[in-house]
Amino acid sequence: MRTRLRHIAVHAEEPHAGRFVWVLTERADTIAWNEIQRADSACATYKEAMAEGLRALQALAGDLDTGPRTRQAEATAARDGEADASADDAPGQDAPRKKSLFGFGPAR
């Protein structure tokens, strides 16, 4: 069964000159987006705010290989992933970990 990704975006706002906050929004339907999370404190740069926002988005995913899922879909993906991992891994061997930045790979 194919699970559904949550449509979540990260952006930065500048509520005061030179102070930036990250905001996560999720698509509610084909037109509307709802704010789901916002930084508690401001950053000095846009770059820092976006990096912190990406970390917040990453935390919502649980498993970065499958991405953020709806609660029911997350449970299904976790069950499927556990079954796949146990079938693929030989006893006593650790699967190699992929190196990435912010969990999404290197910036280009």
Side-chain angles (χ1 to χ4, degrees):
M1 179 166 138
R2 193 98 172 126
T3 58
R4 293 184 53 206
L5 281 169
R6 295 172 66 187
H7 298 146
I8 301 173
V10 60
H11 69 273
E13 293 181 355
E14 188 178 18
H16 303 289
R19 304 301 295 165
F20 301 88
V21 296
W22 57 264
V23 180
L24 296 181
T25 54
E26 184 168 15
R27 191 173 75 180
D29 54 38
T30 57
I31 298 172
W33 289 77
N34 296 325
E35 184 176 308
I36 59 171
Q37 207 170 356
R38 173 181 287 269
D40 292 329
S41 58
C43 299
T45 66
Y46 174 86
K47 179 172 77 172
E48 184 183 356
M50 286 298 291
E52 288 187 15
L54 286 172
R55 282 191 287 275
L57 175 57
Q58 179 177 319
L60 291 177
D63 180 355
L64 294 175
D65 289 333
T66 60
R69 304 279 173 162
T70 60
R71 290 202 188 278
Q72 182 174 357
E74 284 174 353
T76 301
R79 281 194 312 273
D80 293 346
E82 287 172 10
D84 292 344
S86 61
D88 293 340
D89 293 341
Q93 292 183 343
D94 292 330
R97 293 196 161 254
K98 298 175 189 171
K99 184 178 179 183
S100 63
L101 305 174
F102 299 115
F104 298 100
R108 298 188 191 269

